Amino acid sequence: MNEIKYITERVWIGQLGHAFVILSFVTALLSCVCFYLSFKNKDFVKLARISFNLHGFSVLGIAGTLFFMLFNHYFEYQYVWQHSNTEMDMKYILSCFWEGQEGSFLLWTFWNIILGWILKYQLKNGEWEVPVMTVFALVQVFLASMLLGVYIFDYKIGTNPFLLMKEHSEFSHLPFVLAGKYESTARGLNPLLMNYWMTIHPPTLFLGFASTLVPFAFAIAALWNKQYNNWQKIALPWTYFGILILGVGILMGGAWAYEALSFGGFWAWDPVENSSLVPWLVLVAAGHTMIINKNKGGSLFTTHLLAIGSFLLVLYSTFMTRSGVLGNASVHAFTDLGMTGQLVMYVLTFVFITVALLIHNSLFRVSYIVGSLLMLAFGLIYGYKRDLLVMWVCASTIITSIAYFKYFPKEKEEEELFSREFWMFLGSLVLLLASLIITYFTSIPVLNKLFNTEYAPPKVPVYNTWITPFAIVLMLLLAGGLFLKYKKSNTKQFVKQMAVSLVLAIVFGMVCCIPLYFLNAQPINTTIITYVVLFVFSLFAIFANGYYWLSILKGNIKKSGAAIAHIGFALILLGVLVSTSKKVTISKNTADRKVSDLGEGFDDKVSILLTQGDTLPMGPYLVTYTGKEKKGINVYFKVDYLKINKNNKPEFDFTLMPMIQDNPRMGKAPEPDTKHYLDRDVYTHVTAADLNIDTITQNKGYQSAKNYVGHVGDTIYASNALVIIDSLKTNLSKEQYQKNDSLLEVTAVLKVVDAQSTSYYAYPKYIIKNNIVIPKEDELETLGLKFVFWKINPDDNTIEITLSEKVANNKDFIVMEAYIFPYINILWIGSLIMAIGTAIAIAERIRKLKVQTAKV
């Protein structure tokens, strides 16, 4: 059969993009090999640099080609078709670029190139250029392979973003692909990503991920050339750059969740949130142990472990979020594109390299390498992958422990209890332990899949219970760490300096905590006590670091980076504590009709039913739903908030307009609206509403029919009722129909619940007789609703039903949730202060490095 060719297909652009992909992989591999050979033969350095530069330009070529295709709507290409359409606002085209796995891998590769070019220039002709850039180039080989989209035997290597729709196995057989009609069917961007935060959060986060590669590359290079003490001063500014960027990226993600998601908060211990938080915590710990090493020469093994661990945790998070193992456990996770094995190899390869370099004995190292490769080959050929993986991990852990005791230099003297290095080491240990706990909880879906168990991931309260004690200890260490000197401090002077801040924290803390936690109906329990202790210790850290900055440093900004960053971090914890522990649900239903009768998932304790024009009490407010308007695919619901004035009369206070995005292809996505005050936020989002705005009267008093696509269990929102697709009933099985070619009758059982919580049932039918579809409508005259069941979509198990409503139906209504987040601005202010403090610390580290380099 001849290949189908379409006049509208621009094949050349895909071929160009794929050529850049091939060039990127080949040049990355060549650069890695040449840098490796340069370790013993400097003649290869020039070729290695040229290859790395060519790799960088090819990555820019891939990105430029993909952007060009997105901007020009080349929907014949699968990536463009799947992540964009002509209906979306062009300002979100950047989000389309990195929405898919291929685009996010490309973004990561791009930032690695930028950092690699800067680092290569900084290290040029120095002793660290060859080993560090070898590691950089090897990472680029793996990232470039993620875009190859080729098969080696039965194993898929990467996913090609430049596949035509007709070349993609999932889409090539679809009728619109065969007809060449792509534009009208393009899926578009996920509604949750149509937010301005998603144009800046992902690139910032991936720059943070990329920055963890720099200390990792230095640590691996140090294991390679056995120079354990000489790399920290160069890597230290880079490490704090990573701390700054990754931290800001995580906080941007929290801001996006707060503004765009409807779970009612900024942090939900989601697996993908955790997967970015854990590398940051470990990187912060690594930065502090580097300072210990730089000033005192200790914590060598810990510094290497943490610097390597932060990057390996980024790789592990990549596996979790892109292998499909999380399933529905995260709203952020990607679906599996068949690269699970490749992602596992990506993680294990760098663990393998780390352990191999820790072994000094040549025979022992060769034995470990050969044994690892034999286990890999045995697993690929004969199976037993889980057992072999467990054995290999245990063996690698034992070897790492032996290497620590045998090869790494130990400190001759024990660290003093009241010394800065000891408190900084304790702080790093606290961060590491907290990271391990979060990683374990987050990895439960992975462990379930690995060991065939069915443990449920922990809920938010479980995370809070485990992490709060670590936060308390960390605040204590943050409060006192800067007052201590290296090696040994004057204990009496230390206690005297801390006393004022501690007394202020206790007094001010109790003044705040008594009305917050004690003067209410809640019983005093362990949770309340831990909240109070964390509150006081957070204030202790703020006051102590403020005192250190103003009194000890005399307000010197250049040297105050650590103190300012500590104040910011303490403010973040304080803001998180108060805004979440004192979060108030004000949307308890006060209407005569029960929200819970509308169906599963509706709760009168958290949701209020507002009928248009009615005014109901809601917490400290009176609220009125006044109407709705549609802008593009967004439907906005106008809710007026009123307060009782001094004359005991209601007066207008403010209006919120939460919206629901009515995306015809991606479904409905609610987005909250928030009223910001200095001391609180009023947060509102709609959980159920009729999205129909414009209606045209037809014969018999019915409006124009609206088509709905859904699965069994989905809900259709009429203006005066909720329609639940309860079940489907058929008179014949598929086999009976195909065998006898007899009449097939499929009945959709629709449960209809009106605003008074009364239930009705409708039974529209989908009938096939002599291969002709004959829909049979059903009408609920009491509610003025008419249903036509006219289509079944076997590919995605959905059905299509049209709904017509009579003009003179009941008033429109919405179901809404509203919360008050007290003092949440403390969190955002703390984020800004921490970022400023970290930036100041980076500038000071760079200045000191230049001074040291100049002396050498």
Side-chain angles (χ1 to χ4, degrees):
M1 181 182 291
N2 294 328
E3 181 183 0
I4 300 174
K5 294 183 178 180
Y6 304 110
I7 297 175
T8 57
E9 284 183 351
R10 281 127 318 187
V11 178
W12 65 271
I13 191 72
Q15 293 173 340
L16 176 64
H18 193 59
F20 278 130
V21 170
I22 300 297
L23 181 63
S24 168
F25 177 76
V26 172
T27 51
L29 184 60
L30 179 61
S31 176
C32 179
V33 172
C34 290
F35 271 123
Y36 176 79
L37 295 175
S38 300
F39 194 71
K40 292 184 178 180
N41 187 348
K42 298 299 181 183
D43 293 339
F44 287 97
V45 171
K46 187 175 181 180
L47 180 58
R49 293 170 181 163
I50 293 173
S51 301
F52 193 83
N53 289 336
L54 284 174
H55 167 67
F57 289 121
S58 63
V59 169
L60 295 179
I62 299 170
T65 304
L66 193 56
F67 265 125
F68 182 83
M69 291 163 56
L70 286 165
F71 272 112
N72 290 281
H73 303 304
Y74 286 4
F75 293 118
E76 62 267 33
Y77 287 92
Q78 173 266 331
Y79 196 87
V80 181
W81 179 88
Q82 197 157 13
H83 301 290
S84 69
N85 58 29
T86 54
E87 299 170 3
M88 58 174 284
D89 196 320
M90 286 298 291
K91 66 184 178 183
Y92 297 126
I93 205 73
L94 291 172
S95 299
C96 296
F97 179 86
W98 45 68
E99 183 194 20
Q101 289 213 39
E102 303 91 330
S104 59
F105 275 122
L106 182 55
L107 179 62
W108 189 359
T109 308
F110 167 78
W111 284 128
N112 277 357
I113 281 297
I114 300 300
L115 297 181
W117 276 339
I118 297 172
L119 193 63
K120 184 163 63 71
Y121 176 79
Q122 180 187 1
L123 302 177
K124 190 173 183 180
N125 297 322
E127 62 177 331
W128 291 104
E129 180 190 8
V130 168
V132 169
M133 293 310 298
T134 301
V135 177
F136 245 89
L138 180 60
V139 171
Q140 291 301 89
V141 170
F142 275 89
L143 286 176
S145 71
M146 296 295 177
L147 303 179
L148 283 176
V150 298
Y151 282 87
I152 298 179
F153 300 110
D154 293 329
Y155 294 97
K156 183 181 180 182
I157 308 298
T159 302
N160 183 5
F162 300 105
L163 277 180
L164 289 163
M165 290 288 288
K166 67 179 184 182
E167 297 172 331
H168 198 285
S169 58
E170 291 185 13
F171 305 115
S172 59
H173 65 284
L174 297 178
F176 70 87
V177 175
L178 297 175
K181 296 178 180 179
Y182 305 113
E183 182 172 333
S184 61
T185 60
R187 287 187 178 177
L189 188 65
N190 187 319
L192 297 177
L193 303 184
M194 292 187 186
N195 182 281
Y196 66 94
W197 280 114
M198 294 312 293
T199 61
I200 56 176
H201 161 57
T204 305
L205 192 68
F206 274 94
L207 176 57
F209 286 157
S211 65
T212 63
L213 175 57
V214 179
F216 170 79
F218 272 104
I220 292 295
L223 296 179
W224 186 2
N225 60 22
K226 307 297 184 293
Q227 296 187 34
Y228 302 123
N229 281 298
N230 299 331
W231 61 276
Q232 288 86 347
K233 63 181 179 181
I234 307 174
L236 193 56
W238 285 100
T239 302
Y240 275 87
F241 172 78
I243 291 170
L244 171 63
I245 300 301
L246 185 53
V248 170
I250 293 168
L251 291 167
M252 283 181 176
W256 165 69
Y258 186 63
E259 288 194 13
L261 301 184
S262 56
F263 65 81
F266 46 83
W267 194 265
W269 293 108
D270 180 272
V272 177
E273 293 173 343
N274 298 346
S275 296
S276 58
L277 175 65
V278 168
W280 182 78
L281 293 175
V282 175
L283 191 63
V284 171
H288 285 76
T289 56
M290 285 183 194
I291 294 174
I292 297 173
N293 179 266
K294 175 179 172 293
N295 289 282
K296 193 173 176 290
S299 301
L300 268 180
F301 180 79
T302 308
T303 301
H304 285 77
L305 176 68
L306 295 173
I308 292 170
S310 63
F311 179 73
L312 292 180
L313 284 165
V314 169
L315 299 187
Y316 179 63
S317 70
T318 302
F319 159 73
M320 282 202 299
T321 56
R322 297 165 195 278
S323 63
V325 70
L326 292 178
N328 296 323
S330 172
V331 299
H332 303 75
F334 293 89
T335 56
D336 184 14
L337 293 183
M339 296 191 293
T340 301
Q342 189 178 354
L343 291 168
V344 171
M345 289 303 301
Y346 191 5
V347 178
L348 296 183
T349 296
F350 286 97
V351 175
F352 165 75
I353 291 172
T354 301
V355 177
L357 290 174
L358 282 169
I359 303 171
H360 287 208
N361 183 281
S362 299
L363 180 61
F364 191 14
R365 179 184 294 172
V366 170
S367 301
Y368 174 74
I369 293 172
V370 172
S372 299
L373 294 176
L374 287 174
M375 292 174 75
L376 174 63
F378 190 90
L380 293 175
I381 297 172
Y382 299 106
Y384 305 101
K385 295 178 183 178
R386 181 188 64 187
D387 298 333
L388 290 170
L389 177 62
V390 172
M391 290 171 56
W392 182 81
V393 169
C394 292
S396 299
T397 303
I398 293 170
I399 292 170
T400 302
S401 303
I402 293 172
Y404 164 65
F405 287 106
K406 189 171 183 179
Y407 301 123
F408 272 83
K410 307 295 185 300
E411 295 182 54
K412 297 179 181 179
E413 298 179 2
E414 290 290 331
E415 294 174 342
E416 292 286 339
L417 175 62
F418 288 97
S419 64
R420 182 178 290 190
E421 63 269 23
F422 182 70
W423 280 47
M424 289 174 67
F425 180 81
L426 279 181
S428 299
L429 184 61
V430 168
L431 291 172
L432 178 61
L433 291 175
S435 300
L436 292 174
I437 290 172
I438 297 170
T439 301
Y440 169 72
F441 286 156
T442 308
S443 301
I444 286 178
V446 180
L447 297 174
N448 284 339
K449 189 168 185 178
L450 189 61
F451 297 105
N452 297 319
T453 55
E454 296 181 356
Y455 294 108
K459 303 294 184 182
V460 171
V462 176
Y463 276 101
N464 294 341
T465 301
W466 277 88
I467 299 303
T468 301
F470 290 98
I472 292 171
V473 175
L474 197 60
M475 288 299 98
L476 175 63
L477 297 172
L478 251 64
L482 292 178
F483 289 93
L484 295 167
K485 292 180 172 56
Y486 288 102
K487 294 187 178 179
K488 190 174 182 179
S489 302
N490 186 316
T491 307
K492 289 184 179 179
Q493 183 182 3
F494 171 71
V495 173
K496 184 178 178 181
Q497 289 173 327
M498 299 291 289
V500 176
S501 299
L502 181 58
V503 170
L504 283 175
I506 293 172
V507 172
F508 190 73
M510 294 312 297
V511 169
C512 295
C513 288
I514 288 173
L516 279 174
Y517 296 110
F518 296 124
L519 297 182
N520 52 46
Q522 285 184 321
I524 299 174
N525 51 33
T526 306
T527 302
I528 296 297
I529 293 172
T530 56
Y531 287 165
V532 172
V533 174
L534 180 56
F535 191 103
V536 172
F537 275 47
S538 297
L539 288 177
F540 184 28
I542 294 167
F543 291 148
N545 282 277
Y547 175 76
Y548 181 83
W549 173 28
L550 298 174
S551 180
I552 308 299
L553 297 179
K554 307 299 182 184
N556 188 328
I557 295 291
K558 291 182 180 179
K559 296 184 180 297
S560 62
I564 294 174
H566 290 173
I567 292 171
F569 186 67
L571 284 170
I572 289 174
L573 285 187
L574 190 63
V576 169
L577 171 65
V578 177
S579 63
T580 54
S581 66
K582 300 307 296 180
K583 170 184 171 183
V584 179
T585 302
I586 59 174
S587 54
K588 297 176 182 177
N589 192 30
T590 55
D592 294 333
R593 294 153 294 186
K594 289 185 178 181
V595 174
S596 55
D597 290 340
L598 298 177
E600 187 177 354
F602 293 98
D603 188 348
D604 287 276
K605 294 180 180 179
V606 297
S607 301
I608 186 170
L609 190 149
L610 293 175
T611 302
Q612 186 173 355
D614 290 349
T615 300
L616 294 177
M618 188 181 77
Y621 301 99
L622 298 172
V623 289
T624 303
Y625 167 47
T626 60
K628 57 191 173 186
E629 61 177 312
K630 189 169 187 177
K631 296 179 181 179
I633 60 174
N634 298 329
V635 180
Y636 292 86
F637 301 89
K638 185 179 179 182
V639 181
D640 289 339
Y641 282 69
L642 301 90
K643 294 199 78 171
I644 302 298
N645 61 19
K646 296 179 181 179
N647 298 322
N648 203 30
K649 293 183 178 180
E651 64 179 11
F652 174 80
D653 194 5
F654 59 88
T655 297
L656 289 179
M657 298 191 69
M659 69 93 163
I660 296 179
Q661 186 180 126
D662 188 15
N663 192 306
R665 298 186 180 89
M666 306 292 290
K668 298 174 177 61
E671 186 170 309
D673 193 17
T674 305
K675 176 65 176 179
H676 302 284
Y677 291 97
L678 187 62
D679 62 340
R680 69 190 186 281
D681 278 2
V682 180
Y683 175 101
T684 303
H685 72 97
V686 173
T687 58
D690 174 28
L691 303 186
N692 293 326
I693 300 291
D694 299 322
T695 57
I696 302 174
T697 303
Q698 284 187 327
N699 294 332
K700 300 183 181 179
Y702 276 99
Q703 302 169 355
S704 58
K706 300 289 183 179
N707 189 57
Y708 295 89
V709 182
H711 301 81
V712 172
D714 287 353
T715 301
I716 299 170
Y717 298 100
S719 63
N720 62 338
L722 298 180
V723 182
I724 302 164
I725 304 175
D726 185 78
S727 60
L728 297 177
K729 296 182 179 180
T730 179
N731 65 326
L732 295 175
S733 67
K734 181 179 178 181
E735 292 75 14
Q736 289 174 328
Y737 172 70
Q738 291 175 340
K739 184 177 180 179
N740 300 318
D741 194 23
S742 42
L743 183 141
L744 174 66
E745 183 178 288
V746 182
T747 303
V749 180
L750 306 179
K751 181 181 179 182
V752 184
V753 183
D754 66 10
Q756 285 73 38
S757 304
T758 304
S759 297
Y760 305 83
Y761 283 89
Y763 304 94
K765 299 180 185 298
Y766 177 85
I767 301 171
I768 301 179
K769 185 176 182 180
N770 299 325
N771 293 321
I772 298 175
V773 176
I774 309 172
K776 184 179 180 182
E777 68 181 35
D778 194 11
E779 183 177 2
L780 291 177
E781 293 187 1
T782 305
L783 298 176
L785 303 176
K786 182 169 64 178
F787 305 93
V788 178
F789 177 17
W790 70 280
K791 190 175 182 181
I792 296 176
N793 301 312
D795 292 337
D796 55 5
N797 295 319
T798 60
I799 64 172
E800 299 192 31
I801 295 174
T802 64
L803 168 62
S804 303
E805 300 186 46
K806 282 188 176 179
V807 177
N809 274 341
N810 295 330
K811 291 181 179 179
D812 190 19
F813 71 92
I814 62 172
V815 178
M816 188 180 79
E817 294 181 10
Y819 307 95
I820 292 178
F821 287 94
Y823 303 105
I824 193 172
N825 285 331
I826 297 174
L827 164 62
W828 310 125
I829 293 170
S831 303
L832 181 62
I833 291 174
M834 187 180 73
I836 292 172
T838 308
I840 293 171
I842 293 169
E844 180 64 12
R845 297 294 171 193
I846 293 174
R847 185 191 67 79
K848 288 183 177 181
L849 180 61
K850 288 181 178 179
V851 171
Q852 292 173 354
T853 305
K855 288 181 180 179
V856 174

